[in-house]
Amino acid sequence: MVRGRISRLSVRDVRFPTSLGGHGSDAMHTDPDYSAAYVIIETDAEDGLKGYGITFTLGKGTEVVVCAVNALAHHVLNKNLRDIVNDFRGIYRQLTSDGQLRWIGPEKGVVHLATAAILNALWDLWAKQEGKPLWKLLVDMDPKTLLSCIDFRYISDALTEEEAYEILQKGQAGNKEREVQMLAHGYPAYTTSCAWLGYSDNTLKQLCSVALRDGWTRFKVKVGADLQDDIRRCRLIRDMIGPEKTLMMDANQRWDVPEAVEWVSKLAEFKPLWIEEPTSPDDILGHAAISKALAPLGIGVATGEQCHNRVIFKQLLQANALQFLQIDSCRLGSVNENLSVLLMAQKFGIPVCPHAGGVGLCELVQHLIIFDYISVSASLTNSSCFQD
Amino acid sequence: MVRGRISRLSVRDVRFPTSLGGHGSDAMHTDPDYSAAYVIIETDAEDGLKGYGITFTLGKGTEVVVCAVNALAHHVLNKNLRDIVNDFRGIYRQLTSDGQLRWIGPEKGVVHLATAAILNALWDLWAKQEGKPLWKLLVDMDPKTLLSCIDFRYISDALTEEEAYEILQKGQAGNKEREVQMLAHGYPAYTTSCAWLGYSDNTLKQLCSVALRDGWTRFKVKVGADLQDDIRRCRLIRDMIGPEKTLMMDANQRWDVPEAVEWVSKLAEFKPLWIEEPTSPDDILGHAAISKALAPLGIGVATGEQCHNRVIFKQLLQANALQFLQIDSCRLGSVNENLSVLLMAQKFGIPVCPHAGGVGLCELVQHLIIFDYISVSASLTNSSCFQD
């Protein structure tokens, strides 16, 4: 039973000095300090439960997100949690459509990251009060209630509420078996931990050996800074993992559209499953052009970790601009907006491979992708991977 | 001669209580308090000149932009102004591609607004040191120098630097005459001041009479909250201004795509030149669909005031998604990014009608549009309008 009035919302600026070791480094983010704006929501209920929510950042600028969280807090403070979850679509709309604050977004950048952190904390609190992990809360929720959490504004030309309902109804067939399967075997994953751009070849080899010994079968390598360097590193990894295991490449937005096609064509011999973020995350038509050019080489396009809202994902799907869709659990507006993207991906037949790897992302995203498998996609084909 | 080292960057949170009178109100921003984050840059030069730059906001959240300005300030502090303007492309790239701060953008939302405010201050200081208004600084600049201010990243598939150079070379024919014409007659404009959504019919009538008496020939009306209300208000204005004068409509992103087409079709009898912001500013394919549907009715689509960067404008042009392009002088990354959009618009043959009307926007945008007329478009056909 959902209970309590939101009595306090606090937010912390949490930073880790990961740049010291080059961890997380790529072609565009050469010195990230993995960080988070960390929201804690308390109620006046006697259970003492708190909701924790984050948005991931790279160090500098976390204080800007913290400032935005404080600017948005009044939309949830002093509200009853029951009223919030009973009209979760309404609260989402209220946070994202504040008549003054939306100007500095809307639904993008700092204010949207702050919105995600606040909503993530509300979902966490709801799940805790129900005594369930988030994925189980979602899996057990009846379709009508689940849809009442989603704002369909701006996506109704691609997915109506009625279509979304049909997808969820269809997803109920076999869901119990898939839940048992997930509990027994977990969700498959891949690793990027061996091949950050800032690592030396020796470090890369050593980490790759360890990953192989640990049983990893899917490996992602960062590319895009220097072509000869990429060729050397990709050859090194492909030689180590052999021809059967899966290799993915990630350019982190380094290229213009023609450059992306040219560069990736020169890496085609290493048989990547996908090229991730070949260009600007805003460039839907660019991703469509790259997808079309690389399809004959058997290379797919993956993107999403910096796609700022459901409107961008809608268009990437409409334009056949990606073959792997990478939601981010705290760049999109929390579970609410992620649900809409999972449902659109299902309608368009595109597998979802969430972005993770940063502070808290692996924890957050597992709930979404397990729900996706059990209740929406019912498939692990090609979507069997996450961990940036 | 450009001179001085940037010795100080300060930023103020300036707000005006415009919501008290419903000024600036529309279908999505019902209670705006017109505001700005106001940047002041000082140097150690003896001339005592300061650079002033702003980004426009709607009240709440201005403190978030102020926080982002402070996070970005170190990129310009202690630099020589000469080094900055000699590598303005490099400074633009540095501000927008900071390896940690770009995560909370990139090139969108709060950090991009903050970038715009800082760069606007640098342009202001440069123009002051040259003893010219900004438009004249731009008009007098040789094409190579002008292009060295633009970051072509992510737009080279639509406009190469070479193509941009040809456009500027071509724009030199007749530029002296156009400059004389601008100085003598100014740039044509339209007014929205009579028809904010929060105004009563009586206020609307009264303001419309005054505007007609003052010689205005182009009028914009806010629509999108209620269809019957829109019909009444549009009829009222069309009756007052007569069939010859120009009427534009502005929905401020109120609709989904199918809804936009249906709603605007019902307002077609009032012969609007354009429907502005019919849907999400992120929806390129949506705007293309609306453009296509409304073309047979003789109604164009205008958008841009919330388009967050050149990548979005590039795609709107590539997709034939707009017939009037509305740059914003402080949502895009200052003059640097606006120049790239003016040049793309020229290549695609689309007139530019800047967004203005907020705090400082009319002042800022006149420089860009006068430069556009003198040095780029050389035409006033259909582009003869600005003011929110």
Side-chain angles (χ1 to χ4, degrees), chain A residues 15 19 28-33 56-65 67-68 70-71 74-75 97-111 113 152-157 252-258 278-286 305-306 308-309 311-312 314-316 318-319 328 331 355 361 388, chain B residues 15 19 28-33 56-65 67-71 74-75 97-111 113 152-157 252-258 278-286 305-306 308-309 311-312 314-316 318-319 328 331 355 361:
Chain A
R15 307 194 189 195
S19 64
M28 295 292 273
H29 313 89
T30 50
D31 60 346
D33 285 328
F56 175 53
T57 54
L58 294 189
K60 278 187 290 178
T62 311
E63 77 280 14
V64 184
V65 182
C67 187
N70 286 323
H74 67 98
H75 285 295
S97 302
D98 179 300
Q100 297 191 353
L101 279 169
R102 80 183 297 281
W103 185 265
I104 61 172
E107 295 188 77
K108 60 176 66 69
V110 170
V111 282
L113 298 174
F152 284 86
R153 173 175 268 179
Y154 299 143
I155 58 170
S156 67
D157 55 325
N252 292 88
Q253 312 165 25
R254 182 61 187 241
W255 302 308
D256 278 25
V257 175
T279 190
S280 163
D282 298 332
D283 198 348
I284 294 131
L285 301 179
E305 74 181 63
Q306 291 203 17
H308 54 266
N309 62 32
V311 183
I312 298 295
K314 175 187 80 166
Q315 295 173 84
L316 287 166
Q318 288 173 321
D328 183 292
R331 184 176 292 278
H355 170 237
L361 297 184
D388 172 11
Chain B
R15 307 193 190 195
S19 65
M28 294 292 273
H29 314 89
T30 50
D31 59 347
D33 285 327
F56 175 54
T57 54
L58 295 188
K60 278 188 289 177
T62 311
E63 77 280 13
V64 185
V65 182
C67 187
V69 167
N70 286 323
H74 67 98
H75 285 294
S97 301
D98 179 301
Q100 297 191 354
L101 278 168
R102 80 183 297 281
W103 186 265
I104 62 172
E107 295 187 79
K108 60 176 66 70
V110 170
V111 281
L113 298 174
F152 283 86
R153 173 176 268 180
Y154 299 143
I155 58 170
S156 67
D157 55 325
N252 293 88
Q253 314 166 22
R254 182 61 187 243
W255 304 308
D256 278 25
V257 175
T279 189
S280 163
D282 298 331
D283 199 347
I284 294 132
L285 301 178
E305 75 182 61
Q306 291 202 18
H308 54 266
N309 63 33
V311 183
I312 298 296
K314 175 188 78 167
Q315 295 172 85
L316 287 166
Q318 288 172 322
D328 183 292
R331 184 177 291 278
H355 170 238
L361 298 183

Side-chain angles (χ1 to χ4, degrees), chain B residues 8-73:
Chain B
R8 186 155 183 256
L9 187 156
S10 53
V11 53
R12 295 189 193 164
D13 180 334
V14 184
R15 307 193 190 195
F16 302 92
T18 47
S19 65
L20 296 177
H23 313 302
S25 56
D26 63 52
M28 294 292 273
H29 314 89
T30 50
D31 59 347
D33 285 327
Y34 274 18
S35 305
Y38 196 99
V39 171
I40 305 166
I41 286 179
E42 297 169 55
T43 75
D44 62 4
E46 287 177 3
D47 56 26
L49 292 173
K50 297 179 185 179
Y52 299 91
I54 67 151
T55 194
F56 175 54
T57 54
L58 295 188
K60 278 188 289 177
T62 311
E63 77 280 13
V64 185
V65 182
V66 164
C67 187
V69 167
N70 286 323
L72 284 162

